[in-house]
Amino acid sequence: MDLYEHQARELFAEHGIVVPRAEVTDSPKKAREIARSLGGRVVVKAQVKTGGRGKAGGVKLAADPAAAELTARQILGMDIKGHPVRTVMLAQPVDIEREFYVSYVLDRAAGRFLAIASAEGGMEIEEVAATRPEAVARIPVDPAEGITSARAGEIADAAGLPPQSVDVLMRLWEVLVREDALLVEVNPLVRTAQGQITALDGKVTLDDNARFRQARWGIEDTAHDDPLEAAAAAKGLNYVRLDGEVGIIGNGAGLVMSTLDVVAGCGARPANFLDIGGGASARIMADGLSLVLSDPAVKSVFVNVFGGITACDAVADGIAQAVDSIRLTKPLVVRLDGNNAARGRAILDEHAHPLVQQVTTMDGAALRAAELATAA
């Protein structure tokens, strides 16, 4: 479960990490009052569970309470990467001397955590990591050992962080452990002109398996989730939205993950993860196709099914009925293999929808879907 920035900052403050004073509201008029109580000049920040707010115009400086009300009115209602802005946080600005980046993230493959830190934080950290990877330190952390003072010192030295950051690194680890987090990130962590180390932003992802220990956050606020993911959840579909142009539908999480990799290897980007599970009825296929096609970024759709308990002819029947029940406007590439695959392919051939193409191999189908997406 992802927390909002204001919730992450609340956790930081509870664990002794300095954060600027701030309040949250969904009202422009209330924003004026908050700005007045914070001293007049404030930073107005959209509260959404996604990155890139600053570049999208969701973070702005307001010089006085009147400007804070106007800025809040501008930001509230914005759409940032599919996330509608329903609340804003107003925070006291600080005099920044230097920005840093620090985080702890679970490394599932290695069975440990990874400390990632850099002396060059801020909005361009992703570009720094891509173009100058040597500027970003990646230090493995043994969960049993944790972050001791000595280990925090090693991380700070490796990343070029100031000595004062050692205490913050230790406290961030406390947040991760005590709050059952999979990710704790501060970007930027700043040194102010007064020499104080302060967390200006925060991102925390809690382990869903620990919800019973984190009841304070209640049920996740789906009103602020990605609207397509919320629509999928309402239909009982296992869907995750990604930043790409090839829609992906498959049966089984492992197969879908492999499909994402193959599509990426063909030079295209997957637009989503959608696992329809063991059943592929006409209703499930129609719901899945409607969902994937409702993403304006999708240029083509790749349906990759390996027939097992659910035979391919049943899947093909579902696809045929689904494309008749919805208005198919983008090319659909289908690969059927496994139980009754030949019969399934024959059904789709007989249906002969002009936008449905069949390819017998997974690699070939992925390549065709990528070609159709890039040509659109």
Side-chain angles (χ1 to χ4, degrees):
M1 177 174 67
D2 293 329
L3 299 186
Y4 292 103
E5 176 194 5
H6 67 89
Q7 294 172 325
R9 288 161 51 102
E10 180 182 334
L11 283 182
F12 293 166
E14 290 175 4
H15 288 270
I17 299 168
V18 177
V19 296
R21 287 180 57 205
E23 290 187 45
V24 179
T25 183
D26 60 0
S27 164
K29 289 186 178 179
K30 181 63 176 178
R32 179 192 285 257
E33 298 175 12
I34 293 172
R36 187 178 294 115
S37 71
L38 293 177
R41 187 167 175 263
V42 292
V43 180
V44 185
K45 309 179 76 174
Q47 295 299 284
V48 288
K49 296 178 180 179
T50 187
R53 294 174 303 166
K55 293 181 179 180
V59 179
K60 295 182 179 180
L61 183 66
D64 53 50
E69 179 178 349
L70 177 61
T71 302
R73 195 178 302 279
Q74 293 170 340
I75 294 177
L76 287 167
M78 286 179 62
D79 184 282
I80 300 178
K81 296 183 178 179
H83 295 253
V85 180
R86 292 188 172 89
T87 59
V88 293
M89 183 181 74
L90 290 85
Q92 285 184 324
V94 300
D95 190 0
I96 300 173
E97 181 182 273
R98 192 169 178 186
E99 297 183 343
F100 313 101
Y101 173 92
V102 297
S103 70
Y104 295 115
V105 62
L106 177 63
D107 183 349
R108 294 183 185 275
R112 63 192 179 193
F113 283 88
L114 191 63
I116 305 175
S118 175
E120 301 183 39
M123 288 196 298
E124 304 304 325
I125 184 61
E126 292 181 355
E127 183 178 342
V128 171
T131 59
R132 291 187 296 112
E134 71 280 359
V136 181
R138 294 173 172 82
I139 311 296
V141 179
D142 183 341
E145 178 185 350
I147 297 296
T148 62
S149 177
R151 194 62 168 157
E154 291 176 14
I155 295 169
D157 289 343
L161 304 181
Q164 306 99 303
S165 66
V166 170
D167 181 66
V168 174
L169 289 169
M170 295 175 66
R171 293 180 186 275
L172 282 175
W173 181 256
E174 288 182 7
V175 173
L176 183 133
V177 173
R178 295 184 183 178
E179 308 298 336
D180 299 302
L182 303 176
L183 167 70
V184 174
E185 176 185 85
V186 183
N187 185 36
L189 179 72
V190 306
R191 181 173 59 204
T192 68
Q194 296 74 36
Q196 187 176 57
I197 301 297
T198 303
L200 289 196
D201 199 348
K203 182 176 181 180
V204 173
T205 299
L206 304 182
D207 187 346
D208 284 341
N209 295 309
R211 281 177 181 266
F212 69 98
R213 284 202 298 259
Q214 300 299 334
R216 61 183 288 190
W217 304 115
I219 299 174
E220 190 171 4
D221 183 6
T222 56
H224 290 69
D225 286 345
D226 182 288
L228 288 180
E229 294 184 359
K235 294 179 179 295
L237 296 172
N238 187 9
Y239 172 91
V240 178
R241 192 177 189 180
L242 304 172
D243 294 326
E245 58 281 339
V246 178
I248 306 293
I249 301 176
N251 63 328
L255 178 61
V256 178
M257 291 297 292
S258 298
T259 305
L260 301 182
D261 291 339
V262 174
V263 168
C266 292
R269 297 176 304 159
N272 65 272
F273 171 106
L274 176 54
D275 173 18
I276 58 175
S281 67
R283 183 71 267 155
I284 292 175
M285 288 303 306
D287 287 344
L289 281 172
S290 295
L291 184 73
V292 171
L293 291 169
S294 65
D295 183 349
V298 169
K299 305 302 181 185
S300 70
V301 180
F302 178 16
V303 176
N304 189 18
V305 171
F306 188 89
I309 296 174
T310 301
C312 287
D313 55 344
V315 173
D317 279 330
I319 293 173
Q321 294 179 49
V323 297
D324 285 339
S325 65
I326 64 174
R327 194 168 69 90
L328 187 62
T329 58
K330 297 170 185 177
L332 179 67
V333 179
V334 180
R335 175 257 186 172
L336 299 176
D337 199 1
N339 185 14
N340 281 359
R343 176 57 187 154
R345 296 178 196 135
I347 290 172
L348 292 180
D349 285 339
E350 292 167 7
H351 189 261
H353 192 288
L355 288 177
V356 177
Q357 303 180 24
Q358 291 195 75
V359 181
T360 57
T361 67
M362 179 171 168
D363 289 347
L367 179 59
R368 184 56 181 151
E371 291 173 343
L372 290 167
T374 54

